Amino acid sequence: PLLRMQRTEREGLSAFLDDLLRQAGQPITLEALYTRIVIVGVAAALLGFVVTKFNPLGLMLGLAGYIPVMLIRGQAEGRARKITEQLPEALDLICRSLQAGHGISEAIRLVAEEMSMPLAQEFGRVYEENNLGRDFRECLENLNARNPGNFDLQIFVSSVLLQRDTGGNLVEILQSISTTIRSRFVFEGKLRALTSEARFTAYVLGGLPFFIIVVLMFMAPDYLLPLVTDRWGNIM
């Protein structure tokens, strides 16, 4: 598939960020993301350097340049979660369309028209690619390539392709997948409720060291200076 060929031509950080932008559904380019990273990092480093009275430790705030990547990652995870939440309803819609005598391609078009974003966008791309002459298998594989972390979408694609090769009742298969996803949502909701206190405690304890470091950089910058200026501090 074209997306896989393009991915093999890129390497390292650029490939990772490009895939992240695609998963987040962001219209910005890779160059624009790099620009944001540099601007935020330089501005934070200069601010830390000045606020700490030109202490070299203040430059560590330049790590804030990773914030745009964190935001994009959060958007990508949220978009993938939204697709998973929409998928059971989309599968039910496909099943009703198939029972009415439509083909799988028309059923996917119906999902693209009736469902909301972001699932409508992904299924719309599948229908458009197939309508323009691309092989249906390749269209579904591209759907997987655009959403590599979405396991439920991969199950849907595998089920459709397997049914096309071996036969079987696709409606029953998709109904089973839809029921399984809904049952998992119920289980995960109960699990989040039971573990909410422990997770909140973990967030507080995990973020506390970084919070203390930032506070010390502003209140007592000399306290952390040996970590930079002293040999044993460097080792520690």
Side-chain angles (χ1 to χ4, degrees), residues 3-185:
L3 287 176
R4 291 183 181 177
M5 293 174 61
Q6 292 176 345
R7 187 176 292 110
T8 56
E9 293 174 358
R10 305 188 303 269
E11 295 180 357
L13 182 62
S14 296
F16 168 74
L17 293 179
D18 199 17
D19 288 342
L20 201 59
L21 287 173
R22 185 182 297 110
Q23 295 167 35
Q26 286 294 322
I28 66 174
T29 63
L30 186 60
E31 290 74 15
L33 179 58
Y34 275 130
T35 301
R36 295 183 183 184
I37 293 173
V38 172
I39 291 176
V40 173
V42 171
L46 291 177
L47 177 63
F49 192 59
V50 172
V51 171
T52 58
K53 300 178 181 180
F54 308 105
N55 191 314
L57 284 174
L59 296 176
M60 292 178 60
L61 285 182
L63 296 175
Y66 188 67
I67 290 179
V69 180
M70 293 175 60
L71 295 177
I72 296 294
R73 180 190 289 273
Q75 292 172 356
E77 293 175 352
R79 186 172 184 269
R81 186 164 53 250
K82 182 66 174 178
I83 288 176
T84 301
E85 293 173 355
Q86 293 177 310
L87 194 56
E89 185 178 350
L91 295 181
D92 292 343
L93 189 59
I94 292 176
C95 290
R96 291 194 295 268
S97 179
L98 294 176
Q99 290 173 334
H102 298 154
I104 183 64
S105 180
E106 285 300 313
I108 288 178
R109 180 187 63 82
L110 185 63
V111 171
E113 293 177 352
E114 298 296 332
M115 296 293 295
S116 57
M117 295 295 182
L119 190 65
Q121 181 185 31
E122 292 296 336
F123 275 64
R125 289 179 181 178
V126 173
Y127 176 76
E128 290 175 1
E129 289 179 2
N130 183 243
N131 199 38
L132 292 173
R134 179 167 289 174
D135 182 68
F136 188 69
R137 173 181 290 274
E138 187 176 343
C139 297
L140 290 179
E141 288 177 347
N142 284 343
L143 175 64
N144 267 345
R146 290 192 300 268
N147 303 275
N150 197 310
F151 182 67
D152 296 303
L153 206 57
Q154 294 174 7
I155 292 178
F156 163 72
V157 171
S158 300
S159 300
V160 173
L161 295 180
L162 184 62
Q163 190 273 340
R164 287 172 63 88
D165 292 337
T166 63
N169 193 329
L170 183 59
V171 173
E172 291 184 0
I173 296 173
L174 297 184
Q175 287 176 342
S176 177
I177 296 174
S178 176
T179 302
T180 302
I181 295 174
R182 285 192 171 96
S183 299
R184 193 179 71 247
F185 283 158

Side-chain angles (χ1 to χ4, degrees), residues 195-208:
T195 61
S196 58
E197 182 179 353
R199 285 186 290 111
F200 180 75
T201 302
Y203 295 149
V204 172
L205 294 179
L208 191 60

